[in-house]
Amino acid sequence: MKEFAIYTGLRLVLFAAAFGILWVALHTLLGIFPLLLLALIISSILAIFVLRAARDRLTANIEQRAGRIASRIQAARSAEDED
């Protein structure tokens, strides 16, 4: 989850910088827009992989906790049956 926060922060900073460059490019007609569009596409593709990794870690964590809860329930039922 920490990687997701770092990636999101970097992406916001890069897009703020890209917006500044785009603003200058539009006023000076440098034609930087295709590069900014390419940067947007690449960062969106990278976001898929970052989010997938975060989702997989979260899923593993949830499954681990569910396993612990199930074993506690099993132990409680066994103790109840012994009484």
Side-chain angles (χ1 to χ4, degrees):
M1 211 52 152
K2 194 183 300 183
E3 292 87 9
F4 175 70
I6 292 170
Y7 176 76
T8 303
L10 287 175
R11 191 170 178 193
L12 288 173
V13 169
L14 289 175
F15 280 130
F19 180 77
I21 292 170
L22 176 62
W23 186 260
V24 170
L26 288 175
H27 288 293
T28 59
L29 301 174
L30 292 176
I32 297 178
F33 183 71
L35 293 176
L36 294 175
L37 186 60
L38 181 64
L40 175 66
I41 292 169
I42 290 172
S43 67
S44 297
I45 291 171
L46 289 176
I48 293 170
F49 295 108
V50 171
L51 291 175
R52 183 178 295 158
R55 182 198 64 199
D56 292 343
R57 273 195 305 278
L58 184 60
T59 302
N61 192 6
I62 290 171
E63 288 175 353
Q64 184 181 26
R65 289 181 182 190
R68 280 191 229 141
I69 291 170
S71 65
R72 288 179 185 167
I73 290 172
Q74 181 86 19
R77 286 183 179 164
S78 295
E80 188 177 286
D81 289 342
E82 290 176 5
D83 290 339

